[in-house]
Amino acid sequence: MPSRRTVLKVGAAGGVLLALAGLGADLLATDDGPLPSGPALANVPADAAIALAAMAPVMLGGVPAGLTAADFSRIVLAGIDTALAGLTPAQRNEVTQLFSLLRLRPARRWLLGLRAPWHAAAAADIAATLDRLRHSRLQVLRAVYQGLHQLIGAAWYGNPAAWPAIGYGGPPATVLAALGRTA
């Protein structure tokens, strides 16, 4: 039969372990929100899709007229997924590390400066976060902004749905013919 002192020590140690486990879970927790609807993405993790769907309208100046927010997110995320499929394994690994940074609550709060989860953050707060990244003293944070900006911009402007809004009529017929496509 264990002594009373042993029972108290084991109980106290168990309480400390539970507290540490809770703290560790909170530090590693992600802020899962509603996943953007649409086809499954092969190269964009679900939690990164939530962050990217929140950033895209802010980076691109809002949801274009004639599209719903859901359709806009679907188009941008599909473009990002396609772009990531064309990267080398080393480049894909770098992007995966970036997505890991975006998904962790402590990184989002203390490194990026965004307190609310991506899916619940106001557009002004996301814009301020992106602006902090863009103008950071740390080159690595500026690189994070540039990577996100290029990825989101290419995903949207590479899609024919974006072309009318920017006055682009599409590739010339000679280019399409060379690719075996028609206008």
Side-chain angles (χ1 to χ4, degrees), residues 87-122:
L87 296 179
T88 67
Q91 291 169 323
R92 209 172 301 125
N93 184 43
E94 286 181 11
V95 174
T96 300
Q97 290 174 5
L98 169 62
F99 289 160
S100 294
L101 174 75
L102 296 176
R103 71 183 270 284
L104 292 176
R105 186 181 300 158
R108 190 199 68 245
R109 284 185 183 172
W110 298 314
L111 187 60
L112 304 180
L114 184 64
R115 295 187 59 79
W118 288 105
H119 69 278

Side-chain angles (χ1 to χ4, degrees), residues 36-44 49 52 70-85 151 154-156 159:
S37 62
L41 302 169
N43 301 297
V44 179
L52 293 166
D71 288 340
F72 180 63
S73 289
R74 220 177 351 267
I75 290 169
V76 171
L77 290 173
I80 291 171
D81 198 57
T82 301
L84 293 179
L151 199 56
W156 173 242
N159 188 294

Side-chain angles (χ1 to χ4, degrees), residues 6-96:
T6 303
V7 170
L8 289 174
K9 285 181 183 179
V10 169
V16 169
L17 285 174
L18 285 173
L20 289 174
L23 178 62
D26 185 52
L27 288 176
L28 297 177
T30 61
D31 293 314
D32 294 333
L35 292 175
S37 62
L41 302 169
N43 301 297
V44 179
D47 46 10
I50 294 167
L52 293 166
M55 281 184 246
V58 174
M59 272 195 176
L60 297 171
V63 176
L67 285 177
T68 66
D71 288 340
F72 180 63
S73 289
R74 220 177 351 267
I75 290 169
V76 171
L77 290 173
I80 291 171
D81 198 57
T82 301
L84 293 179
L87 296 179
T88 67
Q91 291 169 323
R92 209 172 301 125
N93 184 43
E94 286 181 11
V95 174
T96 300

